[in-house]
Amino acid sequence: MKALSLFTGVGGIDLALESEGIDVVQMCEVDPFCVSILNKRFPNIPVHDDIRTLDGSQFKGVDIVVGGFPCFTKDAMISTENGLKKIDSLNVGERVLTHTNVYKPIKSRMVTKNKPVHEINIQGLPKIFGTEEHPFYVREKIGKVFKEPIWLPVNELKKNVHYCGIPINQLSENPYKLTEEECYILGRYLADGHTIKRYRTNENRPKDRYWGVVLSIGDAKLTDFKSKISSNYTLHKHTKSVHRAIFSSKRLVKIAEQHCGIGSGNKFISDMILSLPKPLLESFYNGYVSGDGYSDGRTMTISTVSKNLAITFSLMVAKLYEIPCSYRYVKTDDTKVIEGRIVNQKDYHRVQFVLNPKRKLGYSDGNHLWVKFRDMNFYRYETVYNIEVDDDNSYVVNGVVVHNCQPFSTAGKQKGEEDERYLWNEMCRIIRQSRPNWVIGENVKGLLQTGIETVESDLRNEGYEVRTYVLSAKDVGAYHGRERVFIIGCKKERLSTDTAIDGLHRCEVGDRVTQADERTTERSNENKCFKRCSRVRSVLPFRDYKKGWRTEPNIRRISDGSTRKLDKSRIKALGNAVVPQQILPFIRAIVAVENYDGDVSDINPLGI
């Protein structure tokens, strides 16, 4: 078997691959010190220095792509000409929405590390994580009168006194010449639809796709749906209480995927849709709430696992009705029983607004909707981002207008650096280009709270079945914790899902490593200890590896400390390194599944 190693570090994962007879054909590492270690330890393996310039298509023959990809932080969503984007993914030249309700280009990006970050709560929108001195575009309310808009640092804002500005989309454009019925269908797709992703392989046309928008319609809503739609579609029973309507339209599929997203966690409302004339946008809104909305006659409520959709739904309501929403992040149990079936659940975003309010909680001046500042609380120290925007020096984050943070601008240009850590999208690109049979991703435990949904969703969209596990270095005999998240992906067309990924689960790691899916209870009870897997420790003793690394002296309760000769480069490299024994169970299981022709449930590569 052959492997492509990304974010290689000093080669901890590669040592484990080598021990199982897997050939690493290429490494990728940017840190000069780590590259020097790799050149000495693996002299015959080429090392590329920048993942952003690595062409994955030249590695189409590899069996495994493996990488300890960088960490995520809390992501601020910025309104751009192409919809909401994470602030750390923006590039100079991209156009962002400003307080004047026009799009202006980004002049520069700034990154400042280890800044005190605060949790900022504003009515109707997800929490914003930013610095306390960042200026917001606000109006002060005195009695019933709103003063003129000004810029104020967030630490000077007062609850029920200052109102933050949400820009109201002023455009009325229809570039695709959509009809009201098509807008309704697209809204319904946003709520509970998906597109057909199968290809015509059985017709000897493997590059030709079936084009279809599929909507799931409950029995209780079927009559209303039929009354709204005159277009041609097919309808069939899917489950006991759900029908599926299929619209065979290449045009609708392309618009839906581009402007509404793919997968419930990635759904959003694009700027193209928000810029539609109000009658068409209202048809889109009606389609969406018919599938995902609940109204008691007074209040409309929607729920979504997509933060992006929660924000853009509030922007749609602002344009249509010029009233604010309320917002709440809801934590759920891991599973739920529906019609006798146990289904998995995710935490979700709940957005509500009053349909005909007697007393408006916000104020609209036609260009902006002004909503209440709630409060601000210290969160933690973290890397923060800022951008400088041409002319207006402002942009929109999580739906509200903020200013360039001037104290950061000069320092950012002089001292800030592009943060190399946020590069999962590059690893995903290489996976897409090389199409390996297996993917192994590795990260720190914090990924479970800050980015695991993105990683899993991206892999599934690329055609991989995914399982996520957590394993501590203690579980393989080390004297330190170093808990790591391992994301294992298997290409669906390579092996059947049941055979490959569930075979991996049964034959080795599933019974011995705590699955991340089982660990979501930690979010609601942070004091619970993680399950330990002593059986792994007994099978993979720390000295089992041929060069057996030791981390502490034999005398218990006495630490080596670190020699003064151990410079920062070595400390950083060792801190980021993966203990080879941690990833070894997954590699051994993959090799066993690949090499076995019978029932994978019989596989027992470690002899347990």
Side-chain angles (χ1 to χ4, degrees):
M1 297 177 68
K2 295 180 179 180
L4 169 62
S5 175
L6 307 176
F7 310 106
T8 307
V10 292
I13 294 176
D14 305 82
L15 285 173
L17 291 167
E18 182 186 72
S19 74
E20 295 304 304
I22 298 173
D23 295 327
V24 178
V25 297
Q26 175 76 56
M27 295 175 173
C28 186
E29 176 55 48
V30 68
D31 186 275
F33 175 79
C34 292
V35 172
S36 69
I37 297 295
L38 295 175
N39 288 334
K40 184 174 181 179
R41 179 175 287 164
F42 306 98
N44 298 321
I45 302 176
V47 182
H48 191 79
D49 64 350
D50 189 348
I51 191 172
R52 293 170 294 188
T53 61
L54 184 64
D55 180 10
S57 61
Q58 62 182 306
F59 303 106
K60 286 187 176 180
V62 300
D63 301 283
I64 305 174
V65 168
V66 60
F69 61 91
C71 308
F72 288 76
T73 62
K74 295 290 183 181
D75 299 313
M77 305 300 292
I78 308 301
S79 297
T80 77
E81 206 168 30
N82 298 309
L84 293 184
K85 287 189 176 183
K86 297 174 185 176
I87 191 169
D88 62 290
S89 69
L90 297 176
N91 296 309
V92 172
E94 285 192 76
R95 293 161 60 87
V96 298
L97 189 64
T98 73
H99 73 290
T100 61
N101 243 320
V102 297
Y103 292 96
K104 297 284 186 177
I106 298 172
K107 293 176 65 177
S108 63
R109 295 177 74 243
M110 292 144 274
V111 181
T112 308
K113 296 182 179 180
N114 201 33
K115 294 291 293 184
V117 172
H118 291 72
E119 177 186 289
I120 303 163
N121 295 297
I122 295 171
Q123 177 188 346
L125 295 169
K127 297 173 182 177
I128 298 173
F129 294 89
T131 54
E132 63 179 354
E133 62 265 44
H134 208 117
F136 278 58
Y137 196 46
V138 299
R139 279 187 158 188
E140 183 180 350
K141 185 179 181 183
I142 301 177
K144 295 183 178 181
V145 178
F146 284 87
K147 297 179 71 174
E148 289 300 307
I150 58 173
W151 300 103
L152 271 185
V154 69
N155 57 8
E156 295 183 21
L157 302 185
K158 298 177 182 178
K159 183 177 181 179
N160 296 326
V161 173
H162 289 107
Y163 287 65
C164 302
I166 298 176
I168 298 174
N169 188 301
Q170 303 293 311
L171 298 178
S172 182
E173 301 172 345
N174 185 12
Y176 291 98
K177 302 190 184 311
L178 293 167
T179 65
E180 289 192 10
E181 184 172 299
E182 287 176 327
C183 290
Y184 184 91
I185 294 169
L186 289 171
R188 191 64 197 242
Y189 164 83
L190 184 71
D192 48 25
H194 66 276
T195 55
I196 298 173
K197 298 178 180 63
R198 297 193 307 274
Y199 287 80
R200 301 176 183 269
T201 52
N202 54 351
E203 301 175 19
N204 293 322
R205 298 161 58 191
K207 295 184 179 180
D208 292 338
R209 176 180 170 181
Y210 290 99
W211 297 99
V213 172
V214 183
L215 309 181
S216 296
I217 315 293
D219 286 347
K221 300 179 179 181
L222 188 58
T223 301
D224 180 67
F225 175 79
K226 289 180 178 179
S227 68
K228 297 283 197 306
I229 304 300
S230 60
S231 304
N232 293 327
Y233 63 94
T234 59
L235 187 70
H236 68 270
K237 193 83 170 178
H238 178 60
T239 66
K240 183 178 178 181
S241 59
V242 175
H243 286 75
R244 279 191 166 170
I246 303 175
F247 295 82
S248 299
S249 169
K250 180 177 180 179
R251 175 172 177 269
L252 274 182
V253 168
K254 289 193 169 185
I255 296 173
E257 291 182 346
Q258 181 179 351
H259 295 285
C260 299
I262 303 172
S264 59
N266 301 307
K267 292 289 183 71
F268 65 97
I269 304 172
S270 75
D271 195 65
M272 184 280 292
I273 290 176
L274 291 173
S275 300
L276 289 170
K278 281 189 177 181
L280 294 178
L281 185 60
E282 191 157 30
S283 294
F284 179 88
Y285 163 85
N286 289 333
Y288 175 63
V289 298
S290 70
D292 211 14
Y294 167 75
S295 174
D296 59 5
R298 180 176 179 271
T299 302
M300 175 61 71
T301 303
I302 66 104
S303 301
T304 174
V305 296
S306 168
K307 176 183 176 181
N308 196 326
L309 178 53
I311 296 171
T312 48
F313 178 84
S314 296
L315 299 180
M316 177 169 62
V317 172
K319 177 173 180 174
L320 287 175
Y321 308 117
E322 297 188 5
I323 54 178
C325 297
S326 64
Y327 168 86
R328 182 184 175 193
Y329 184 70
V330 182
K331 296 184 177 182
T332 67
D333 295 330
D334 296 346
T335 59
K336 182 179 182 180
V337 178
I338 300 177
E339 295 183 352
R341 296 179 297 115
I342 298 177
V343 297
N344 294 324
Q345 291 191 124
K346 291 184 177 180
D347 299 343
Y348 63 91
H349 309 266
R350 177 184 292 165
V351 183
Q352 295 178 313
F353 71 96
V354 180
L355 296 169
N356 295 296
K358 295 181 180 179
R359 181 175 62 89
K360 291 190 175 182
L361 300 177
Y363 162 72
S364 172
D365 60 10
N367 292 316
H368 294 84
L369 180 63
W370 302 93
V371 296
K372 289 182 179 179
F373 166 77
R374 297 292 193 193
D375 56 35
M376 178 187 72
N377 302 292
F378 176 76
Y379 179 59
R380 66 184 181 192
Y381 282 83
E382 196 169 327
T383 298
V384 295
Y385 293 82
N386 193 27
I387 55 177
E388 183 181 5
V389 181
D390 196 23
D391 294 335
D392 290 344
N393 291 306
S394 62
Y395 53 98
V396 179
V397 55
N398 282 17
V400 296
V401 179
V402 299
H403 200 279
N404 289 354
C405 197
Q406 298 299 342
F408 292 168
S409 298
T410 302
K413 291 177 191 175
Q414 293 175 348
K415 301 178 183 179
E417 59 184 20
E418 293 297 303
D419 198 325
E420 300 278 345
R421 301 181 303 159
Y422 307 100
L423 293 170
W424 159 250
N425 57 331
E426 294 295 336
M427 182 170 177
C428 188
R429 171 185 63 80
I430 290 175
I431 292 168
R432 184 184 308 117
Q433 292 172 341
S434 60
R435 302 299 299 162
N437 298 330
W438 295 87
V439 174
I440 305 178
E442 174 273 331
N443 211 293
V444 295
K445 183 183 69 177
L447 183 72
L448 295 178
Q449 281 74 46
T450 59
I452 189 64
E453 291 86 359
T454 299
V455 175
E456 290 180 335
S457 177
D458 287 348
L459 284 175
R460 290 190 178 105
N461 288 338
E462 294 301 328
Y464 289 84
E465 184 67 17
V466 184
R467 295 287 187 275
T468 301
Y469 304 92
V470 177
L471 184 61
S472 167
K474 287 183 178 179
D475 295 331
V476 294
Y479 297 119
H480 56 91
R482 195 184 289 261
E483 287 184 303
R484 286 292 193 265
V485 173
F486 294 94
I487 303 101
I488 312 297
C490 175
K491 191 162 62 175
K492 292 179 180 178
E493 61 263 35
R494 165 69 175 140
L495 296 168
S496 75
T497 297
D498 289 341
T499 299
I501 204 78
D502 292 336
L504 173 72
H505 174 73
R506 286 194 297 270
C507 76
E508 178 158 325
V509 274
D511 296 330
R512 299 166 180 79
V513 181
T514 306
Q515 287 202 53
D517 288 344
E518 298 169 359
R519 298 179 46 155
T520 52
T521 53
E522 186 238 11
R523 298 177 188 175
S524 59
N525 187 358
E526 295 179 356
N527 295 322
K528 284 189 177 180
C529 294
F530 292 111
K531 187 172 82 176
R532 299 297 182 193
C533 308
S534 58
R535 295 185 65 188
V536 172
R537 188 180 307 169
S538 65
V539 188
L540 293 171
F542 196 65
R543 295 185 183 181
D544 176 59
Y545 196 71
K546 59 186 178 183
K547 292 191 178 180
W549 296 345
R550 298 303 301 268
T551 57
E552 298 286 346
N554 288 328
I555 303 174
R556 295 293 187 264
R557 300 174 68 184
I558 300 295
S559 175
D560 280 330
S562 59
T563 173
R564 293 180 181 178
K565 294 181 181 179
L566 193 61
D567 59 31
K568 291 183 179 180
S569 296
R570 288 180 174 87
I571 293 173
K572 176 183 175 183
L574 291 173
N576 291 332
V578 177
V579 176
Q581 289 84 346
Q582 275 181 278
I583 200 168
L584 198 56
F586 303 98
I587 294 172
R588 285 183 175 175
I590 288 172
V591 171
V593 170
E594 285 286 315
N595 293 338
Y596 193 66
D597 295 328
D599 185 351
V600 290
S601 62
D602 297 332
I603 299 177
N604 195 354
L606 297 182
I608 303 173

